[in-house]
Amino acid sequence: MKKALFVAFASAIALGSCTNNEIDSTTGGTHGLIPINISTYVPRETRMASSTDIWNLVNEGFTFAAMNDASGRSHIGSTTFKVIDTDTGECAEEDGTQFFWPGDSAVSFYAVYPTASDDEASGRTWLYAANDSLVFTPDSYEDILAAYASGKASTTDGNVQLTFKHVSAKVALAACCDNADYNYVLTSVKLTVPSMASYKFSTQKISVVPGVDSLVYDAVLPYFGALSETAVGFDTAFFAADGTAGSTCRLDVSYKITITIGGSEIERTYTKSATVNIIAGYENTVSMKLAGDTPLSINVVANGWTDEGIDANDHGYVDLGLPSGTLWATCNVGASEPEEYGDYFAWAETEIHYTVSDADTTWLTGYSSGYSWTGYKYCQGSNSTMTKYCDNVSYGTVADNKLVLEAEDDAATANWGGSWRMPTKAEWQELNDNTTSEWITQNGIDGRIFTAPNGNSIFLPAAGYRFTTSLLWEGTSGYYWSSSLQENRPYRAMLMLFDAEEVDPGNSMSRYDGLSIRPVMSHESHNADF
């Protein structure tokens, strides 16, 4: 498990009202304003070829920027912050400037490490806060990290936490041969990869920039000479790649084989090619097996690179600084944006009962009645015949006393993989207790935004729910399953229910109803570790 580092920014930015409704700045003194505390969650060792720790933030710093969401104007652009006290984690803008909140307007905060530029003519990372994006060209031997948070002065208690995410693709090269009795030596390894990618901060999407020439990387060859029959790593580098489907790259390998026959050495040379798929935000191990006159054998394994042993499987998440450390997804299962409704699932089912094309719903075979007891997976046609997850024999054919969904029946786990799962009733309650929620319209969609004291937030659209063949309360209410059964009434399960007036994290409904799923992951909390 990777150790982590919390860097607290105790006096870099202050909170106050400004008559021009912008984030203001001043040099020297706080003028009686209340300081904002900005903390940054940074891996103690990043995926860089050479380790990164607190001293990189002391010596190099990182780029920090902010946007006033109401005006769409940039107020802090490409300024550098550095850690000035490694004991407390205190950080300051490098020339001593302090910044202040724009009244109670919402603000989006952006951070990039190593330092970025807002001019494509200089540097290799370009931060466009006004477009919520970062464009970058990795330099092969250094990873790129990005962080995002948003909030208002009134809902953050003066705290903003930036959680960094790896946005380039780490590629680890390894090689072996098919017969160690022969002398296999690599003479050239070249990998043709995308040269530029973009990162969307608010959705955490990583995409290759189209129409840009590819980059040919000439790998550092093994220092140990002849290969063995066991794959051994010999080079690690970082590249631009797509963060969802990955990017198909060309691998060209040249090598020679020396064979001794009757006291004479015979040398043969080969150049072979293959394609490999690498994914941004992942550690991609590319193992090549060399042979004589047979095709080049390549094996690629992409492992999620996370600091706490979690695997987001390329789905965006937000750290709300909750006591349990639970990480919340940025969108629903079946959605690609926070405002999209996504799919509707019966409780303990992992597949939907319908397809949608051009707004027309077609019910799948066996589900002509839509969402009802008739087609529900774990019953025999009624609410008194539960066949799994039952703690009261009055309502089931068994009493297995299972009160929380198993992984095989968890729609988040089944559809997203990685470390994702459905939240428990207690986790919905924790979200409600430790955030401030507000009914808003986001990009034309009504729903609730839950904002944590650290400034991070999640938006839950009011997607309604499916009952039989109808979609009810769409745009009016949100219905989100938990993984918890309602005790002693096992034909019902617990959910989060909200509308414009109230929030109820302890409601329940019949298990056959089709509700939204907002996944979570478990995340361990850390103290400062320098």
Side-chain angles (χ1 to χ4, degrees), residues 171 173 190-194 245-253 273-279 284-288 296-301:
V171 176
L173 298 173
K190 297 181 184 294
L191 187 62
T192 302
V193 297
S247 297
T248 300
C249 305
R250 177 185 173 93
L251 180 66
D252 296 295
V253 181
S273 300
T275 58
V276 298
N277 192 67
I278 63 173
I279 307 174
N284 304 264
T285 301
V286 179
S287 298
M288 58 198 81
L296 184 65
S297 175
I298 300 292
N299 180 50
V300 181
V301 177

Side-chain angles (χ1 to χ4, degrees), residues 126 136-138 193-197 208-209 212-216 239-241:
W126 310 291
F136 59 94
T137 300
V193 297
S195 62
M196 185 179 293
V208 169
V209 175
V212 180
D213 291 340
S214 297
L215 168 72
V216 178
F239 306 111

